[in-house]
Amino acid sequence: MQINLTGHHIDITESLREYVDTKFAKLERHFDHITNVHVILNVEKTNQKAEATVHLNGGEIFAESVHEDMYAAIDGLIDKLDRQVIKHKEKMKKH
């Protein structure tokens, strides 16, 4: 799984990059057909926004999360993606 990490109005520190990598590794344990992930971290005044597009076999999934803390925004993003990936996996089993 390849992770592209982009920052808008934020410097991507090594700790942020490692945090994102660790969180997406958890996501990959649930579904190993993830090919590519594009993560965008964005700062708008007091809001920290994390969004991602996940490319996987059979389609792609998009989610975003906004929080005052970037790490919390990434956590929220992973939770949303996790639910969507599990839903996608269930759909794939039915076909």
Side-chain angles (χ1 to χ4, degrees), residues 21-79:
D21 288 346
T22 305
K23 290 293 178 176
F24 275 96
K26 175 188 145 202
L27 197 64
E28 196 175 26
R29 281 198 302 260
H30 286 183
F31 190 66
D32 56 356
H33 296 295
I34 298 172
T35 53
N36 188 322
V37 179
H38 189 119
V39 182
I40 300 172
L41 304 179
N42 196 347
V43 177
E44 299 166 351
K45 293 184 181 160
T46 59
N47 287 334
Q48 314 279 324
K49 181 174 164 186
E51 58 184 65
T53 305
V54 178
H55 300 274
L56 34 80
N57 289 357
E60 64 180 38
I61 293 172
F62 174 82
E64 65 182 15
S65 177
V66 178
H67 199 276
E68 293 170 9
D69 176 51
M70 184 55 82
Y71 290 97
I74 293 168
D75 286 344
L77 173 70
I78 294 296
D79 290 344

Side-chain angles (χ1 to χ4, degrees), residues 3 5 12-25 41 71 74:
I3 299 176
L5 188 56
I12 305 295
T13 61
E14 195 57 42
S15 62
L16 257 179
R17 183 175 297 283
E18 285 173 15
Y19 193 75
V20 168
D21 288 346
T22 305
K23 290 293 178 176
F24 275 96
L41 304 179
Y71 290 97
I74 293 168

